[in-house]
Amino acid sequence: AQRVTQPEKLLSVFKGAPVELKCNYSYSGSPELFWYVQYSRQRLQLLLRHISRESIKGFTADLNKGETSFHLKKPFAQEEDSAMYYCALSGHSGNQFYFGTGTSLTVIP
Amino acid sequence: DAGITQSPRHKVTETGTPVTLRCHQTENHRYMYWYRQDPGHGLRLIHYSYGVKDTDKGEVSDGYSVSRSKTEDFLLTLESATSSQTSVYFCAIRGTSRDGDEQFFGPGTRLTVL
């Protein structure tokens, strides 16, 4: 079974503080991991994926296969980072994506 | 936005009435998906399609049916709406970007069942 766990429903940090959104997964194989973001009143959009190893809007995420984690990090949070963040997993076939329950991030000015 | 639109964007209906939501794409993608988004549950897959007339169930398919008679349209039908189906419904397609496959989402349909 494929499972994506985001333990924090809500997360608040002050502007300029570091932020980490946790994601753990369970998958019998080598999945592809993603972070999607949904800003207020907008559609979900891809933030980053583990294979690209890019930093997008200052966010990074490292796939840790030993801990089966894909935590999203940013060293200095900005107010515009306030949004709902979803961790997602895609298996071998790529036919289905499995999403976590989401973390609502609020950056306090 | 990968050419994905949803209609209607908002709908209020009564328990027991049928409801059909439409997802339309303009880029000839093979895979299309319907999700519902609920607080505390995140995004859950209802049904998906891998081609015209080819569909399969997702995690929460009970009470929903889908149809895909042409590539560009994927319809989600609630045969007899219930209050538990009040939700925001997102359509998605599987597309390819520079780094590989990813899902692109529509703007969502907010459905309220009274």
Side-chain angles (χ1 to χ4, degrees):
Chain A
Q2 293 82 14
R3 288 277 187 271
V4 178
T5 304
Q6 293 180 251
E8 304 136 329
K9 286 186 170 53
L10 303 171
L11 184 62
S12 295
V13 300
F14 285 100
K15 178 182 175 182
V19 61
E20 180 179 68
L21 289 81
K22 292 184 168 52
C23 173
N24 288 91
Y25 67 91
S26 172
Y27 186 76
S28 55
S30 296
E32 187 166 2
L33 276 296
F34 305 80
W35 276 98
Y36 279 80
V37 61
Q38 185 181 27
Y39 300 104
S40 180
R41 301 183 182 281
Q42 295 186 25
R43 65 183 74 193
L44 280 90
Q45 56 187 283
L46 180 67
L47 180 62
L48 54 80
R49 61 201 302 166
H50 86 272
I51 62 170
S52 64
R53 303 185 66 82
E54 286 181 335
S55 171
I56 307 295
K57 298 186 179 183
F59 286 97
T60 59
D62 290 320
L63 179 61
N64 186 322
K65 292 186 179 180
E67 296 182 358
T68 59
S69 67
F70 188 56
H71 303 326
L72 183 68
K73 300 177 183 179
K74 185 170 183 177
F76 307 103
Q78 303 299 313
E79 290 178 64
E80 56 265 29
D81 296 329
S82 294
M84 178 71 81
Y85 292 81
Y86 290 98
C87 183
L89 175 156
S90 174
H92 298 302
S93 64
N95 294 345
Q96 291 194 37
F97 278 55
Y98 299 90
F99 287 84
T101 51
T103 297
S104 176
L105 174 66
T106 300
V107 180
I108 304 165
Chain B
D1 62 5
I4 307 168
T5 58
Q6 294 182 229
S7 59
R9 294 293 313 281
H10 302 271
K11 186 169 182 68
V12 179
T13 191
E14 293 187 350
T15 298
T17 59
V19 176
T20 295
L21 309 182
R22 178 179 181 240
C23 178
H24 180 78
Q25 55 134 337
T26 60
E27 299 183 3
N28 210 34
H29 294 287
R30 180 180 172 196
Y31 284 86
M32 298 183 75
Y33 306 80
W34 275 109
Y35 293 90
R36 58 178 291 174
Q37 182 186 43
D38 303 288
H41 294 278
L43 283 167
R44 293 180 291 175
L45 181 66
I46 304 171
H47 283 278
Y48 69 100
S49 169
Y50 47 97
V52 173
K53 296 192 186 340
D54 292 322
T55 65
D56 205 350
K57 295 180 180 180
E59 179 187 1
V60 290
S61 59
D62 287 348
Y64 302 94
S65 62
V66 290
S67 66
R68 189 153 177 218
S69 58
K70 46 186 179 178
T71 300
E72 57 265 35
D73 289 326
F74 191 32
L75 304 181
L76 177 71
T77 297
L78 292 66
E79 301 290 349
S80 178
T82 67
S83 58
S84 64
Q85 293 175 312
T86 292
S87 186
V88 180
Y89 292 86
F90 285 97
C91 174
I93 59 95
R94 176 179 151 193
T96 301
S97 63
R98 181 193 67 183
D99 293 317
D101 290 346
E102 65 182 84
Q103 294 209 337
F104 295 89
F105 286 84
T109 295
R110 185 173 296 275
L111 176 67
T112 302
V113 183
L114 301 175

